[in-house]
């Protein structure tokens, strides 16, 4: 029913060829209203003609194939009026771009920047198309509804571009943050298990760090020594004493 309604609505504004109807309904200004494919237009026109809602005539041009021109009938206008009174289904909105944006933490920064640039470019192209159409359309009682619809589309696309440009940095940060984490994770995977030299270097580093800590402790007035497996705590100038053994599972607090 939606393709039939679309064809009748287009023909209510004037006669058109099958090619013009197909082009406008799939990639032109009428492509925003109904989901009409190339393969659905001509069967719908044939059915409308069989039902007496449109007529078709052939026009022959010198040196060119004959073209089929369709016109709406009075019965077709009445049928269109009935269709316009029907309860409308919800608008359908699908966006492959939003699927990529939803998975930004997996897609990575490069893919997100490319998707954002492409989305802005495509939306701006459609915006220019609608703006150009508005400038060509006369402001008459018969076109006021079409002008209102065009302005609605222009406003939606303008706000979409504004949002994308104002908030793209946030989405890029989400994608870049995950990429950094993944890079660090991959790097850690490549380093494990460590080789023998790395273990040796690590042990040497630990000895150096312990020596630094020991020196810092002495300089601060507290000395830590290991003597026969017993932790000894002493202050400079004071008599050292052995700390009592620590119960299992507890730590010594200084």
């Amino acid at each position: 029913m939606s393709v039939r309604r679309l064809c009748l609505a287009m023909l209510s504004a004037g006669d058109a060829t099958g090619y013009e109807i197909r082009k406008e309904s799939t990639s032109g200004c009428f492509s925003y209203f109904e989901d009409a494919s190339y393969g659905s237009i001509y069967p719908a026109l044939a059915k409308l003609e069989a039902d007496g809602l449109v007529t078709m005539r052939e026009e022959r041009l010198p040196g060119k194939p004959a073209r089929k021109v369709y016109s709406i009938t009075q019965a077709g206008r009445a049928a269109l009026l009935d269709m316009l009174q029907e309860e409308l289904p919800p608008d359908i909105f699908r966006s492959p771009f939003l699927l990529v944006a939803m998975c930004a933490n997996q897609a990575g920064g490069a893919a997100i920047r490319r998707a954002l640039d492409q989305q802005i470019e495509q939306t701006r192209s459609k915006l220019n198309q609608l703006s150009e159409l508005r400038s060509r359309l006369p402001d008459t009682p018969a076109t006021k509804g079409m002008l209102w619809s065009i302005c609605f589309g222009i406003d939606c696309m303008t706000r979409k571009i504004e949002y994308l440009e104002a908030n793209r940095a946030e989405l890029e940060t989400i994608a870049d943050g995950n990429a950094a984490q993944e890079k660090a994770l991959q790097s850690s995977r490549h380093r494990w298990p460590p080789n023998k030299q790395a273990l040796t270097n690590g042990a040497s580093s630990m000895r150096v760090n312990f020596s630094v800590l020991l020196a810092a402790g002495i300089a601060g007035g507290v000395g830590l020594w290991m003597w026969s497996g017993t932790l000894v705590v002493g202050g400079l100038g004071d008599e050292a004493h052995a700390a009592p053994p620590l119960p299992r599972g507890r730590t010594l607090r200084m």
Side-chain angles (χ1 to χ4, degrees):
M1 181 65 70
S2 60
V3 178
R4 287 165 58 88
R5 180 174 55 198
L6 179 64
C7 291
L8 289 175
M10 293 178 65
L11 292 173
S12 69
D15 296 353
T17 65
Y19 171 77
E20 291 169 340
I21 295 174
R22 186 182 70 172
K23 181 180 179 182
E24 288 297 320
S25 61
T26 55
S27 59
C29 62
F30 280 85
S31 62
Y32 300 100
F33 306 129
E34 302 285 1
D35 185 14
S37 63
Y38 277 102
S40 65
I41 299 300
Y42 286 114
L45 288 171
K47 185 66 168 60
L48 289 171
E49 183 183 7
D51 294 340
L53 303 182
V54 304
T55 60
M56 186 274 293
R57 68 181 186 275
E58 288 190 353
E59 291 185 351
R60 298 186 179 276
L61 300 175
K64 295 183 179 180
R67 64 177 192 171
K68 297 180 178 181
V69 181
Y70 294 87
S71 303
I72 191 171
T73 65
Q74 285 301 117
R77 293 186 184 278
L80 174 61
L81 182 59
D82 289 340
M83 294 177 187
L84 294 176
Q85 309 305 313
E86 296 174 357
E87 184 176 352
L88 296 175
D91 287 348
I92 298 175
F93 178 77
R94 297 185 179 93
S95 174
F97 163 74
L98 288 181
L99 176 62
V100 176
M102 184 178 67
C103 301
N105 62 327
Q106 304 174 59
I112 289 300
R113 287 178 177 82
R114 182 171 60 250
L116 283 164
D117 291 340
Q118 184 181 44
Q119 187 68 197
I120 293 174
E121 180 182 356
Q122 291 175 348
T123 306
R124 186 168 284 121
S125 176
K126 293 180 179 179
L127 176 61
N128 293 336
Q129 181 186 24
L130 288 180
S131 299
E132 195 271 336
L133 178 62
R134 183 184 61 178
S135 66
R136 291 191 291 106
L137 201 64
D139 188 359
T140 66
T143 61
K144 285 189 179 295
M146 184 174 292
L147 283 170
W148 187 95
S149 300
I150 292 173
C151 290
F152 177 86
I154 289 175
D155 188 72
C156 289
M157 293 182 184
T158 300
R159 293 176 183 273
K160 177 180 178 180
I161 293 173
E162 290 175 352
Y163 182 87
L164 290 172
E165 291 179 338
N167 297 277
R168 65 175 300 162
E170 180 181 358
L171 190 63
E172 291 171 353
T173 299
I174 295 172
D176 289 337
N178 183 75
Q181 293 176 6
E182 182 65 22
K183 184 177 180 180
L185 180 60
Q186 292 293 338
S187 178
S188 65
R189 288 172 179 170
H190 293 162
R191 290 197 303 266
W192 187 263
N195 54 36
K196 182 177 180 181
Q197 184 62 38
L199 289 173
T200 303
N201 293 340
S204 300
S205 177
M206 290 177 64
R207 286 195 298 270
V208 171
N209 292 339
F210 180 77
S211 299
V212 172
L213 289 174
L214 179 60
I218 295 174
V222 177
L224 298 180
W225 294 271
M226 291 298 297
W227 182 260
S228 300
T230 303
L231 180 63
V232 180
V233 182
L236 292 182
D238 299 329
E239 182 180 356
H241 59 277
L246 291 176
R248 184 180 300 274
R250 298 187 59 183
T251 58
L252 176 64
R253 295 186 180 181
M254 302 294 292

